[in-house]
Structures are given as structure tokens and as C-alpha cells.
Amino acid sequence: MDEEPKRVDRAGLARVILAIATESGWLTADEWRRVAALVLAAGGDWPAVADLAAGCSAVPAAEERLVEQLTAEIGDRPRLDFHSVVAGVAARAYTLGAIADHDFIAVLSSHGSDAYGTKNDSEGGAMMWEVWAQHSLDGSCAEFGGSGTSGYDEEDLRVRGDRLIPPDSITGPLGAVLADVLHG
């Protein structure tokens, strides 16, 4: 969390935020306020983000404007899949030391059953399904890997997940907030 401020890849940050914003109505006004404040601090100064950080009451309209603004910023770069953003942000937060390994695995597991349909189309969805399916086989979603569970390796998941997010596109504090919000 005490990392030095560094130049953030605005297009990469835009890809991450776009994947979240396109899940229309997914974040509450309070969650958007926390996320948007850190996006602004990280150099993502899109007008709709400023509105969301200020506590704009028309969150759905601001989200729609944000999607338009981010799409223009991204240009022809490929969009990121929502499940890959969740897995990638959690992995980046774990890499930065902002969350613990069991919190990283909990984020993946908490979205695992929802990721079933995307497990073949999305690396993040595949990671979530892998963790969730192993927990189901173990008979407990409270048992996390690394302590004798042979179905997955936290370090391998962290490396795979961290590769999903563009380099330098999120900072430690933003990674921690997003991981918290995306935990659901």
C-alpha cells in the first residue's frame, strides 16, 4: 500500500474500469464513489469519473457516459472481460501485498459458480471455476487451497491473474479497493 506513485497506463486503467462499468448497475453509489476517487488519483480524469467521485445521484446515467468516454480512450485496443478483470485485480492486489492469499482465493471462489458459462471464453472465468469447483469437490467452500488441497496452486493463480491486467494500469490502493468491491 505504500508503493511509490508511478505513471499509470491510462488506456490500461480505462480497460479495467470499462469492464466494471459495462456491468450496468453492478456497483452502488457508495462503491462508485470509493473507486472513482482512486481512479482520479491514479490519473483517470474522465468527466463521468469525476461525477461519480463527487457522489452523483444519477449513477446509471454517469455509468453510461463513462462507458462512452472509456471506449473513446481505449480506441481499437481489445476490451477486457469482466471475470478477467475481477481475477486480475484480485491477483494484482495480492501481488502488491494489499490483500492476503486467502482473500485472493476467496475473491476467485465467490465468483466461481457465476463464471461457469465463461470458463471456456475467459481466463479469469476459468480461474474462478477452477477454484470454485475444487472447493465443491472438497465439500466446503470455506477450505482454501495451499493447505493440502491438490486442485490448484495459489502462486500459479496469482501469476496467471496478474497477467490479465495491463502493466502499471492500477495502483496498490486502487487494487485493494477494487478487490474489496469486486469480492461481492
Side-chain angles (χ1 to χ4, degrees):
M1 297 291 286
D2 295 331
E3 74 178 35
E4 292 248 343
K6 56 184 167 188
R7 191 166 106 40
V8 173
D9 170 14
R10 279 178 50 101
L13 179 61
R15 290 170 67 197
V16 171
I17 301 304
L18 179 63
I20 297 164
T22 54
E23 295 285 319
S24 182
W26 194 75
L27 297 184
T28 67
D30 287 341
E31 289 168 333
W32 262 123
R33 189 175 300 117
R34 287 176 31 220
V35 170
L38 284 171
V39 169
L40 288 173
D45 57 348
W46 301 285
V49 169
D51 289 348
L52 290 164
C56 144
S57 59
V59 171
E63 283 176 326
E64 282 182 34
R65 287 192 352 267
L66 181 59
V67 168
E68 290 172 13
Q69 292 164 14
L70 295 171
T71 301
E73 175 97 14
I74 291 168
D76 60 357
R77 292 174 185 88
R79 285 183 167 203
L80 294 176
D81 167 76
F82 176 74
H83 290 97
S84 291
V85 166
V86 174
V89 164
R92 181 68 53 87
Y94 175 31
T95 298
L96 293 167
I99 64 173
D101 59 346
H102 61 273
D103 291 327
F104 167 53
I105 296 301
V107 170
L108 295 180
S109 183
S110 68
H111 292 276
S113 63
D114 297 335
Y116 177 74
T118 66
K119 69 180 181 168
N120 296 323
D121 303 326
S122 155
E123 177 63 19
M127 291 170 56
M128 292 171 178
W129 178 253
E130 183 179 330
V131 172
W132 188 84
Q134 185 61 43
H135 291 176
S136 295
L137 288 173
D138 289 346
S140 170
C141 284
E143 268 183 54
F144 299 126
S147 341
T149 304
S150 60
Y152 58 86
D153 175 312
E154 285 98 342
E155 182 60 16
D156 175 62
L157 288 168
R158 183 197 64 78
V159 169
R160 286 168 49 200
D162 200 36
R163 289 182 185 142
L164 297 174
I165 300 297
D168 298 330
S169 63
I170 60 174
T171 63
L174 182 56
V177 169
L178 286 172
D180 180 53
V181 168
L182 295 170
H183 190 276

